[in-house]
Amino acid sequence: MRLPASRRLSRHSEFARVKAGGTSHAGRFVVVNALRTESDEPWRCAFITSKKTGGAVQRNKVRRRLREIIRAHGLQIPNGHWIVTIARWRAAEATFDELNNDWTRSAKRVGLLPQKSAQ
C-alpha cells in the first residue's frame, strides 16, 4: 500500500533541505534524517534504497517494510516534520523486527518519537 501523495517527499530540493538543515542518526540498518519545518502540516517522508542494498526485489522489500514501520509509528510523529530514511546495505539482510528496532532507536535520537521516561 502506498503512502498518500500528501505524506511523501518527492523533489530533490526537499531531500537537500532535509540533509542540509535537519538532524540525522545512523543505525546499523538505516540512517534517519529529520527536519522540523515551520508549518503545522502533517509529517512527510521518503525512502532511499541504493543498489548497494541489493537487486530490485530486495530494495522493494526494504521499502515496503520501512513504509509499514512509519505507518505503525505515524500517530507518534509530530506534525511539521520531514523524514528521509536511507537504507544501508545491511537492511536487506535484516528481519522486520531488526529494522523496526533500528528505525525506532534512530527516530528517537533525532527527536521524532518521544523518549521513554526513566522511572
Side-chain angles (χ1 to χ4, degrees):
M1 186 170 163
R2 294 183 68 157
L3 288 170
S6 62
R7 294 286 184 158
R8 285 183 272 151
L9 296 174
S10 58
R11 295 190 178 124
H12 176 72
S13 61
E14 295 169 336
F15 284 77
R17 188 172 160 197
V18 172
K19 183 165 174 104
T23 58
S24 70
H25 182 266
R28 182 167 184 211
F29 303 112
V30 294
V31 177
V32 177
N33 297 299
L35 173 69
R36 171 77 174 127
T37 61
E38 291 79 30
S39 69
D40 198 31
E41 296 176 348
W43 54 266
R44 296 173 64 198
C45 69
F47 306 101
I48 298 174
T49 52
S50 72
K51 289 189 178 181
K52 290 179 184 179
T53 307
V57 172
Q58 288 85 15
R59 291 194 311 269
N60 288 330
K61 183 178 179 180
V62 169
R63 278 194 292 264
R64 283 193 307 271
R65 287 178 171 184
L66 290 172
R67 269 197 307 270
E68 184 55 36
I69 290 167
I70 289 210
R71 263 193 220 103
H73 295 287
L75 295 176
Q76 297 174 339
I77 300 172
N79 287 339
H81 279 86
W82 286 3
I83 308 156
V84 176
T85 302
I86 304 169
R88 300 180 91 173
W89 65 271
R90 294 183 194 101
E93 302 167 357
T95 65
F96 180 81
D97 289 334
E98 289 172 332
L99 267 180
N100 186 24
N101 292 337
D102 196 47
W103 188 89
T104 303
R105 185 174 26 254
S106 295
K108 286 179 182 177
R109 292 268 174 103
V110 297
L112 286 175
L113 299 177
Q115 298 284 340
K116 289 186 178 180
S117 59
Q119 291 183 359

